[in-house]
Amino acid sequence: MNPQFRALKAQIMRRKRWLNALEIAGDWLGLSLGLSLAYLLASSLGLLPALPSLWWLFPINMAVGLAGWWWGWRRPIDLPTVLLQIDRALGTGELLCSYHEFSGERARVPFSGRLERLVRDLAIDPVAALPLGRRRRRRLSWVVALGLGLTLLASLSSWQLLPSPALFGAAAKDTQHRQERDSVSQANPARPLSAAELQQLGARSEALARQLRISSAPARRQTTVAELSKLYRRLQASEQALWKLPAAAGQADPLAQTQGSSSQQAGAGLSSEQERARRLAEARRAAEALQQALSQLQAQARAGQLSQEELRRKLNQLARQAPNQALRRGLQRAAQAQNLQAQQRLMQQAQQQLQKLINRDNELQRAQHQIAQALLQASQKLAQSGQAPASQPGREGDKPSSGRSERQGQQGAKQGQKQGTGSKAPQGASAAAQQSAGQAGKSGQSGQADQAGAKSSSGHQAGKGAGSKAQDQTTQQLLPTQYQLKIAHDQLPPDVKLQRMMLGKGVPFDAVGSAADNDTLTLRYDFAKVEPLIRARGLPPQMRELIRQYFIAITTEPKSKP
Amino acid sequence: MSERDPERQIVELQERLRALRAEIAKVIVGQEETVRAITLCLLSGGHALLEGVPGLGKTLLVRTLGRILGLSFKRIQFTPDLMPADILGTRILSEDESGRRRFEFAKGPIFAQLLLADEINRATPKTQSALLEAMQERCVTLGNETYRLEEPFMVLATQNPLEMEGTYPLPEAQIDRFTFKILLRYPSEAELAVILERQAQLGDLSGLNSVLSGAELLRARHWVAQLPIAEPLRRYVVRLVYATHPSSEEVPPLIKQYVEYGASPRAGISLIRTAQANAFLDGAPNVRLSDLQRVFNLAFNHRVIRNFRGEAEGISIETLLAQVLKTTPEV
């Protein structure tokens, strides 16, 4: 074969590889740029998380383009076909592909000689022979357009010249959040934050975090982060203020200083207790009414006073009033039963379920009020044993009634424990406890023990003083004491569970019995382990004292021992 | 002709072939494409089926060709009562000088080098099939004896598209053995004027010169067969053949709708050989894409069978083949 033709073939191969590489790189890059633009749009609408910087898209796209180039370069080339393409493009009469095949060993005399002469006379320019082509040029122009578009959008976005749809409407919210922020920041930094302020702070933090997720403009993100830092510092200051509350004797009663906020907080705590108790009482009354209606229906059905249709209709009505899904389904099944016997059986089952529900509500109520009582007692004891008696008109008068209600409540609780069920006794206790709780709310006493442990107790001052020794002795006496509460474990509402957790935070208790054991759970507090744990927690002194006093309060009456 | 220099031989042959066409033109007015097609058939060693209305000079053309080539020429007028023995020959009882009688094979007209089978579709299929072996194998078998036909051997058959009544259409197997089916067109006004001017000399072949002998024709056939055709072009021929089959994957919609049977492999062979002949006639050292496209219609138009719908709707084979050529990728 003619060496010039060999060289020409090599040039043609190189050109073809270059075109293949360009084509594939262009296709891949075009796809990648298209996806990048789609991503840009989605992230600005908040549908996808934003990258730290849009400029990341450029190296990603470049990598895709380079990968496409490599892939195209490595594509196998069918030389005879390429030569034919060149022949067609240049109108050589298929000389190149014919000579490529019929030269050397496959030469066909005399035609190959003539072929060689003719091929030699051709001046083939591989670039002209294999042009880019209109189709390739069109596709590449799309790629260039997409690249320019992406560059423009990235630039505009980083210069914050593009309004992000996700931030539309943020202007109106900004004003509101600024006001909240101002109210939070203007609060006395030396005092702990109230529950309402904490809630505000929490809501604002959430909004800021959301903003951070969707916004990619660096300047805006910086502002958001700065604001979040301020809020965090405010929270830290509040916590430090809690720690710095004066505990030594002789100092002014911090209770007096924090009276306003703590009474608010106590009021908020106890009023939430009241609310819970009220809801429980309502639920119990509804359950009792349903029970009564069901009993009447059973009696009527037994006496044959109702037709099948009427009975079915009334059962469905009762089902609609059922407080929970299981009871509703039970009553619906009873309504759909085929005969009276089956209906009676199902109604009886529903009765049993209702009774269980009522019993559970009673227990819950009792537990609620016992907790409220304990809080009251603890705060009272602190006030009594504290440095500056925080005597307020309401409080003196409260004592006897509190004590009375406390005794009543405990008696009721004892009865409840003995009977295991019983709706009357806890009612008395609950009413009394509500009364005392309400009074305590007015007087602004404790309520903080049920919020975030004892930290937000708003500075109940329980320092070491004259009463502390006596208290220690009492504690020692009471160390082996245990506190027992029978309640259906799976029916504990979440807030009671939370209260129990917070009050018993750090205090180990053993759960005796399981859900299968008559559906009750016995909780036993082991006070022998309290002291070391309290010390180990590193709580401030006045908080330790509060907790200690609380446990003393709930176990004061010997009769309350199980 | 120079024996040593193949290139020179080729050049001389090409000149002779150009002279052949010029010589034919002395007798036949117009019909350049027909003459070229017949020449291509000659060079490729194939046979041609000429179709045209009566009076277009089909018989005169073949007679002229025979005269110019110096080949033995025979004409058979196909009629319904024609028998195979009338074509191939038969055994006759003869008596030698000593009076001994024996059977002798009397060769039929098929043993000519150039055979004109006039109105071939008027004979019965049995008679028509007598040509099959001769056209393909270049021999005739009678009884136990096989008689080779003298090369170059070419059958030029004619058929009249009119007068379909009382005719026997050629079976597909026989039609496939014709390299080309050449459709004779009606002469133009100018051509007709010239024909009428020469009417007195019509049929006078005495002034014709023999420009190419049989041996030279055979040599030309040899060089034509040597003409290189590149592999991409062979693949193109494959694509063309497959594009005529309705069951193929990438087929024009018209083929799918109107074609019953597509072209056979023999069609591809005919296409390549006649393309080589075309390139040779043009003096090219290799087969070109234009050669293939030029002879495509001639080589395929009698090999693509329309279905009933195609015939009923009057879709012409030329339309179908044009679609195939248009849609089949060259590269």
Side-chain angles (χ1 to χ4, degrees):
Chain A
M1 186 182 285
N2 190 333
Q4 286 164 337
F5 188 70
R6 259 197 216 102
L8 176 67
K9 278 200 299 187
Q11 287 175 357
I12 288 170
M13 291 278 281
R14 206 159 34 245
R15 171 73 180 169
K16 186 66 184 171
R17 276 194 209 286
W18 193 87
L19 285 175
N20 285 348
L22 189 64
E23 189 171 345
I24 302 290
D27 287 347
W28 287 21
L29 193 58
L31 182 66
S32 172
L33 287 169
L35 288 173
S36 300
L37 281 171
Y39 164 77
L40 206 63
L41 184 66
S43 65
S44 68
L45 292 171
L47 298 171
L48 289 172
L51 282 173
S53 169
L54 281 182
W55 296 103
W56 270 106
L57 290 172
F58 288 90
I60 292 171
N61 281 293
M62 271 181 68
V64 169
L66 283 171
W69 183 274
W70 175 81
W71 188 263
W73 190 267
R74 290 188 71 246
R75 249 168 107 177
I77 295 172
D78 182 11
L79 185 59
T81 305
V82 174
L83 291 173
L84 179 61
Q85 281 176 339
I86 296 174
D87 283 328
R88 299 299 297 157
L90 302 179
T92 60
E94 286 71 70
L95 282 175
L96 292 173
C97 61
S98 301
Y99 181 61
H100 165 73
E101 188 172 340
F102 295 100
S103 58
E105 289 170 4
R106 293 191 65 190
R108 293 237 181 124
V109 177
F111 300 104
S112 296
R114 189 140 172 256
L115 270 174
E116 186 171 337
R117 281 197 302 277
L118 288 169
V119 164
R120 203 168 37 229
D121 292 341
L122 293 172
I124 305 283
D125 177 15
V127 175
L130 292 171
L132 197 56
R134 203 182 303 165
R135 187 180 63 93
R136 276 199 202 100
R137 238 182 259 125
R138 206 165 33 230
R139 282 158 80 158
L140 284 172
S141 62
W142 271 108
V143 172
V144 170
L146 284 170
L148 286 173
L150 185 67
T151 309
L152 185 68
L153 282 174
S155 308
L156 291 176
S157 180
S158 64
W159 298 330
Q160 296 177 49
L161 294 177
L162 275 184
S164 164
L167 299 176
F168 292 160
K173 281 188 191 165
D174 263 350
T175 315
Q176 181 191 349
H177 290 151
R178 206 177 302 119
Q179 288 168 358
E180 289 167 7
R181 188 183 58 218
D182 291 342
S183 71
V184 167
S185 62
Q186 279 161 17
N188 183 0
R191 71 163 181 83
L193 293 170
S194 68
E197 286 167 332
L198 278 170
Q199 210 168 1
Q200 260 184 359
L201 196 139
R204 180 65 185 142
S205 308
E206 266 185 43
L208 287 170
R210 239 190 338 266
Q211 217 169 301
L212 264 182
R213 276 198 296 277
I214 59 177
S215 170
S216 60
R220 188 171 278 283
R221 288 179 69 83
Q222 243 176 343
T223 315
T224 310
V225 166
E227 203 180 312
L228 268 173
S229 307
K230 267 194 216 164
L231 294 181
Y232 177 64
R233 282 197 290 277
R234 180 76 191 88
L235 199 60
Q236 271 187 321
S238 166
E239 191 181 341
Q240 279 163 12
L242 276 175
W243 282 85
K244 283 177 186 164
L245 287 174
Q251 286 187 10
D253 184 2
L255 197 61
Q257 289 179 8
T258 57
Q259 193 77 28
S261 57
S262 64
S263 66
Q264 234 180 351
Q265 287 162 24
L270 286 171
S271 65
S272 65
E273 283 291 338
Q274 279 180 318
E275 184 57 29
R276 270 195 289 272
R278 186 186 63 76
R279 274 196 252 120
L280 268 174
E282 271 179 19
R284 192 173 39 73
R285 278 196 290 276
E288 281 170 358
L290 186 63
Q291 194 180 38
Q292 207 175 356
L294 190 59
S295 300
Q296 274 177 4
L297 205 60
Q298 273 180 299
Q300 281 175 340
R302 265 197 296 271
Q305 291 172 3
L306 293 171
S307 69
Q308 195 75 356
E309 201 48 52
E310 277 174 348
L311 179 63
R312 200 168 279 141
R313 189 174 43 82
K314 290 200 174 180
L315 280 169
N316 280 326
Q317 267 175 3
L318 287 180
R320 278 195 287 275
Q321 296 166 26
N324 63 35
Q325 190 72 10
L327 201 57
R328 193 174 304 126
R329 273 204 293 270
L331 288 169
Q332 282 170 348
R333 273 203 300 275
Q336 287 161 12
Q338 294 302 315
N339 56 54
L340 186 63
Q341 212 175 352
Q343 276 174 330
Q344 288 285 6
R345 182 174 45 82
L346 288 166
M347 280 196 282
Q348 187 58 34
Q349 282 176 7
Q351 278 282 19
Q352 285 165 4
Q353 276 182 18
L354 268 171
Q355 189 57 52
K356 273 189 190 174
L357 202 67
I358 291 166
N359 292 347
R360 183 210 73 172
D361 287 346
N362 290 339
E363 285 289 336
L364 279 173
Q365 234 179 1
R366 191 167 61 83
Q368 290 276 13
H369 292 297
Q370 278 169 351
I371 288 161
Q373 265 187 323
L375 286 172
L376 272 173
Q377 285 171 10
S379 60
Q380 279 171 5
K381 295 262 179 212
L382 276 172
Q384 283 164 16
S385 64
Q387 289 65 42
S391 57
Q392 292 190 5
R395 286 189 203 172
E396 291 289 338
D398 284 346
K399 266 195 210 175
S401 60
S402 312
R404 192 164 55 241
S405 65
E406 181 194 317
R407 277 199 294 280
Q408 278 179 358
Q410 286 170 355
Q411 211 169 8
K414 202 172 141 198
Q415 279 179 2
Q417 282 171 12
K418 277 188 187 163
Q419 291 168 15
T421 58
S423 52
K424 298 260 164 91
Q427 270 182 353
S430 65
Q434 272 181 358
Q435 193 184 6
S436 50
Q439 285 168 347
K442 281 183 203 161
S443 61
Q445 289 184 357
S446 72
Q448 282 313 294
D450 66 340
Q451 289 192 28
K455 264 196 181 178
S456 57
S457 66
S458 70
H460 279 282
Q461 177 153 13
K464 308 243 180 226
S468 60
K469 269 193 187 169
Q471 287 160 11
D472 282 346
Q473 282 173 4
T474 318
T475 310
Q476 290 296 327
Q477 284 168 17
L478 296 174
L479 276 176
T481 303
Q482 290 179 338
Y483 178 73
Q484 209 165 21
L485 172 70
K486 283 188 189 299
I487 191 134
H489 177 69
D490 61 340
Q491 289 177 345
L492 273 180
D495 52 353
V496 173
K497 272 187 201 170
L498 186 63
Q499 284 176 20
R500 191 168 306 285
M501 267 169 54
M502 286 181 174
L503 289 171
K505 194 170 181 181
V507 178
F509 62 86
D510 300 324
V512 177
S514 64
D517 188 8
N518 294 323
D519 284 337
T520 59
L521 192 68
T522 304
L523 305 175
R524 193 167 55 203
Y525 293 86
D526 188 347
F527 295 109
K529 298 177 188 171
V530 167
E531 283 295 332
L533 272 170
I534 288 174
R535 271 198 289 277
R537 297 294 272 199
L539 295 171
Q542 63 272 22
M543 289 186 187
R544 284 188 218 167
E545 193 55 38
L546 173 67
I547 293 167
R548 193 182 294 116
Q549 291 302 325
Y550 159 66
F551 286 117
I552 292 169
I554 64 173
T555 55
T556 302
E557 290 287 331
K559 285 181 188 175
S560 67
K561 286 185 195 175
Chain B
M1 186 178 297
S2 159
E3 294 291 336
R4 290 186 184 176
D5 189 355
E7 275 200 49
R8 201 163 173 77
Q9 275 185 35
I10 290 167
V11 170
E12 283 175 9
L13 281 168
Q14 285 167 345
E15 283 172 9
R16 294 279 176 89
L17 286 164
R18 277 193 283 277
L20 172 71
R21 283 154 67 189
E23 205 65 23
I24 292 173
K26 287 179 183 176
V27 176
I28 304 296
V29 179
Q31 306 288 357
E32 286 90 5
E33 284 301 315
T34 305
V35 170
R36 188 184 173 92
I38 291 173
T39 313
L40 293 177
C41 273
L42 263 176
L43 286 172
S44 62
H47 311 284
L49 177 63
L50 299 168
E51 189 174 285
V53 294
L56 292 182
K58 297 185 288 294
T59 311
L60 182 61
L61 173 59
V62 178
R63 278 179 56 211
T64 306
L65 194 63
R67 180 64 183 257
I68 290 167
L69 291 173
L71 301 174
S72 59
F73 167 74
K74 283 281 174 18
R75 176 174 179 269
I76 304 174
Q77 181 63 47
F78 278 63
T79 53
D81 60 344
L82 194 70
M83 301 301 288
D86 298 330
I87 296 171
L88 301 175
T90 189
R91 285 184 180 279
I92 55 171
L93 192 62
S94 65
E95 196 174 301
D96 63 10
E97 288 164 358
S98 60
R100 269 198 349 219
R101 287 178 186 177
R102 54 191 170 88
F103 276 107
E104 242 181 47
F105 177 64
K107 291 181 180 177
I110 202 167
F111 285 88
Q113 283 172 304
L114 201 61
L115 178 66
L116 174 60
D118 223 347
E119 294 188 286
I120 193 171
N121 57 338
R122 284 170 69 82
T124 60
K126 181 179 172 182
T127 309
Q128 290 168 359
S129 63
L131 288 172
L132 278 174
E133 189 191 8
M135 287 170 68
Q136 186 65 30
E137 310 297 334
R138 298 316 203 251
C139 63
V140 169
T141 304
L142 281 167
N144 295 334
E145 305 237 3
T146 300
Y147 301 91
R148 290 224 65 86
L149 299 171
E150 191 185 347
E151 291 285 359
F153 173 71
M154 184 177 176
V155 173
L156 282 154
T158 67
Q159 65 181 20
N160 193 341
L162 305 176
E163 294 178 359
M164 296 304 287
E165 203 174 309
T167 57
Y168 300 90
L170 283 172
E172 280 79 15
Q174 184 144 17
I175 276 195
D176 199 38
R177 279 166 168 78
F178 286 100
T179 304
F180 278 169
K181 180 177 166 187
I182 304 166
L183 301 173
L184 275 75
R185 60 171 181 83
Y186 207 83
S188 63
E189 280 187 32
E191 287 166 355
L192 187 56
V194 172
I195 290 169
L196 295 175
E197 188 185 333
R198 292 188 196 175
Q199 56 85 30
Q201 291 87 30
L202 272 178
D204 182 11
L205 304 179
S206 56
L208 290 175
N209 301 316
S210 175
V211 293
L212 195 68
S213 67
E216 287 168 340
L217 182 59
L218 286 173
R219 210 173 294 129
R221 279 186 184 177
H222 165 75
W223 292 125
V224 163
Q226 295 296 309
L227 210 76
I229 174 167
E231 196 249 341
L233 297 181
R234 293 197 295 274
R235 281 192 293 206
Y236 177 62
V237 171
V238 170
R239 287 196 292 275
L240 284 173
V241 171
Y242 267 95
T244 62
H245 288 258
S247 57
S248 296
E249 283 179 5
E250 290 177 15
V251 152
L254 284 182
I255 299 294
K256 267 202 190 306
Q257 283 176 27
Y258 299 118
V259 171
E260 186 73 36
Y261 299 109
S264 64
R266 194 181 281 132
I269 296 169
S270 299
L271 183 61
I272 287 178
R273 284 189 180 160
T274 49
Q276 284 172 316
N278 195 71
F280 186 82
L281 269 185
D282 289 346
N286 60 286
V287 175
R288 304 156 297 181
L289 210 69
S290 53
D291 297 321
L292 291 167
Q293 288 168 347
R294 191 168 179 181
V295 299
F296 175 69
N297 256 29
L298 290 165
F300 275 58
N301 66 357
H302 54 295
R303 292 180 161 123
V304 174
I305 312 297
R306 287 172 299 174
N307 57 18
F308 174 75
R309 190 179 167 189
E311 288 186 25
E313 291 188 26
I315 302 288
S316 67
I317 302 284
E318 285 72 32
T319 307
L320 297 170
L321 293 179
Q323 183 75 8
V324 165
L325 213 56
K326 190 177 165 188
T327 57
T328 305
E330 292 173 359
V331 180

